[in-house]
Amino acid sequence: MNQQEFKFGTRAIHAGQEPDPTTGAIMTPIYQTSTYWQESPGKHKGYAYARGKNPTRSALENCLASLENAKYGLCFSSGMGATDAVVKLLKPGDEVITGNDLYGGTYRMFTKVFANYGIKFHFIDLSNPQNIIPYINANTKLLWVETPTNPTMQIVDIEACAKIAKTHQVTFAVDNTFASPYLQNPLDLGADIVMHSVTKYLGGHSDVIMGALLTSNDHLYERLAFIHNSCGATPGPMDSFLVLRGLKTLHLRMKAHCENGRQVATFLKNHPMIEKVYWPGFTDHPNHEIAKKQMRDFGGMISIVLKNADLHKTFDIASAFKVFTLAESLGGVESLINHPATMTHASIPKEEREKAGVVDNLLRLSVGVEDVEDILNDLKMVLG
Ligand SMILES: *Cc1c(COP(=O)(O)O)cnc(C)c1O
């Protein structure tokens, strides 16, 4: 079932999946095989070697494509593996324009790996897409955008970026990890490629590392599928099964993340220990109107700046919670707290980091789907 006539929750449960043709099994089997029988050389049932194709992974790729209103999906062994494949569309001398508030691992890959291959990256403030224009030249080949950004929840206007990218024939990719397809569909707003760290909301249970690329562009799909198989960052069938299972509750989980997030953000905004709360649902968020236009709700990711807290006090607070677990990552059913400056964003130089607002007293919350009273009581217990 890939028909876009069905609504989101129905597709999250069924898209890409049919009862197994040999047994009628309702759940897609875990095809734990590396290779497939060929009747005579080249004569097989569409599957030759599992790096290229695996039925469990194909079901997942089709499900994710359906959720992002895309024609094609490719799953990778991590979010970084997916991003890596997009940059491999480029060649030495090409230039990339991207935001100055990126996921730390993406920044690290761009500056420490691909810069060595002669690709040039411009990290700019994308809160106003017009800022892109002065950086465009004949070598500009990729615009890479994250929205909401990590961890300061900036909102980038996807539609406005898409118009600029199209005018200048620049491939436009959006890291949609924070929003998930439940909240935002960048391809519908003009993006060429959507990237996900499936590890986060899509998997949803903090038990899988995986990435994905979705596109409706035939040519881009062919090139990405070639890189996918050639470079080999492909996930195994067990992980694909776990994500298929996780996706079946994506719409229910996201609804709960958004509702709990709203209550936590409101509680924190009025708290005397908190200097600043980053959450796109507030009407005084600088790009709230754009968030309202391109997102269906505002999600469960919130960052806070503690008032008068040095690094030591910030660490004490980050470690004192009972419901929030101090850990990297986000988007799982359980609430997590993270100290970006020393954890997820440690690979960004201090000066760059602080320019983007990632100060030492900033904490990032991934609000889970536990009972909200327990989440709020946990915050009250620690913050007073
Ligand atoms: C986690 C994350 C990634 C990297 O994904 P992995 O699955 O950890 O490789 C990329 N972008 C964002 C926004 C992320 O949160």
Side-chain angles (χ1 to χ4, degrees):
M1 178 202 285
N2 279 320
Q3 303 91 324
Q4 298 307 87
E5 78 206 60
F6 292 103
K7 293 178 77 167
F8 188 91
T10 308
R11 284 182 278 135
I13 294 168
H14 295 289
Q17 297 152 78
E18 299 289 344
D20 178 51
T22 44
T23 63
I26 288 292
M27 271 309 288
T28 306
I30 303 162
Y31 285 92
Q32 194 75 49
T33 188
S34 61
T35 191
Y36 308 84
W37 165 69
Q38 307 197 8
E39 193 181 335
S40 60
K43 191 171 176 206
H44 54 68
K45 297 172 184 295
Y47 297 90
Y49 185 61
R51 173 161 29 76
K53 219 168 155 200
N54 175 284
T56 318
R57 193 175 88 213
S58 298
L60 173 60
E61 290 172 338
N62 291 333
C63 187
L64 289 175
S66 171
L67 297 182
E68 281 291 10
N69 302 327
K71 213 161 142 185
Y72 307 108
L74 290 168
C75 285
F76 291 79
S77 50
S78 69
M80 295 322 298
T83 303
D84 172 84
V86 175
V87 185
K88 283 175 178 161
L89 293 168
L90 308 181
K91 57 184 188 332
D94 287 349
E95 298 189 16
V96 179
I97 299 172
T98 187
N100 60 1
D101 188 26
L102 284 183
Y103 173 71
T106 305
Y107 178 86
R108 181 174 58 190
M109 180 196 284
F110 287 176
T111 56
K112 299 275 169 62
V113 180
F114 283 111
N116 293 335
Y117 289 74
I119 295 165
K120 190 166 172 188
F121 295 88
H122 301 278
F123 300 93
I124 69 169
D125 174 11
L126 291 175
S127 58
N128 178 357
Q130 296 306 315
N131 294 346
I132 296 169
I133 291 168
Y135 289 89
I136 296 184
N137 62 44
N139 296 326
T140 311
K141 294 291 154 60
L142 176 67
L143 172 63
W144 180 274
V145 164
E146 224 180 284
T147 180
T149 68
N150 177 10
T152 59
M153 313 300 154
Q154 282 181 43
I155 300 294
V156 181
D157 188 333
I158 297 173
E159 207 168 7
C161 288
K163 283 202 181 106
I164 294 169
K166 202 144 282 162
T167 305
H168 298 274
Q169 298 182 336
V170 172
T171 302
F172 176 31
V174 176
D175 179 340
N176 201 29
T177 299
F178 266 41
S180 90
Y182 178 81
L183 294 180
Q184 173 174 286
N185 295 119
L187 298 182
D188 292 348
L189 302 167
D192 299 305
I193 301 170
V194 168
M195 174 266 167
H196 277 286
S197 171
V198 175
T199 312
K200 316 294 169 49
Y201 285 109
L202 298 177
H205 296 75
S206 304
D207 52 8
V208 176
I209 297 283
M210 194 188 288
L213 297 176
L214 299 311
T215 185
S216 293
N217 179 310
D218 297 335
H219 181 60
L220 276 175
Y221 171 71
E222 264 171 45
R223 293 180 64 204
L224 290 166
F226 179 80
I227 294 167
H228 187 236
N229 183 45
S230 303
C231 298
T234 56
M238 180 69 200
D239 284 354
S240 300
F241 171 86
L242 285 171
V243 175
L244 277 171
R245 175 193 243 248
L247 283 178
K248 291 181 192 295
T249 54
L250 179 64
H251 54 305
L252 305 175
R253 288 186 283 110
M254 289 310 297
K255 214 177 280 177
H257 283 297
C258 290
E259 184 46 38
N260 287 359
R262 189 183 325 278
Q263 293 202 39
V264 168
T266 307
F267 167 79
L268 292 168
K269 193 165 174 80
N270 301 313
H271 198 283
M273 291 257 303
I274 308 295
E275 191 176 295
K276 197 164 186 179
V277 183
Y278 293 102
W279 185 63
F282 291 132
T283 51
D284 62 356
H285 180 288
N287 273 343
H288 175 70
E289 287 307 315
I290 294 163
K292 252 174 52 182
K293 185 182 73 164
Q294 67 190 21
M295 299 172 73
R296 296 180 192 95
D297 204 341
F298 305 108
M301 293 304 300
I302 300 166
S303 290
I304 53 175
V305 177
L306 299 170
K307 209 176 265 179
N308 301 324
D310 59 10
L311 192 60
H312 185 73
K313 185 166 176 200
T314 305
F315 275 17
D316 282 352
I317 287 174
S319 321
F321 292 95
K322 288 204 170 104
V323 178
F324 285 89
T325 304
L326 179 64
E328 306 218 1
S329 201
L330 61 109
V333 287
E334 62 287 284
S335 291
L336 298 180
I337 190 162
N338 167 273
H339 183 247
T342 56
M343 294 168 67
T344 45
H345 290 62
S347 54
I348 304 176
K350 189 175 166 77
E351 198 180 309
E352 288 289 313
R353 182 160 56 65
E354 295 198 334
K355 244 197 289 178
V358 187
V359 290
D360 282 350
N361 50 340
L362 178 114
L363 293 172
R364 189 189 76 187
L365 307 178
S366 172
V367 179
V369 300
E370 299 95 342
D371 289 296
V372 74
E373 294 81 4
D374 290 326
I375 296 175
L376 292 171
N377 282 336
D378 200 38
L379 290 163
K380 285 177 199 159
M381 177 197 73
V382 174
L383 298 173

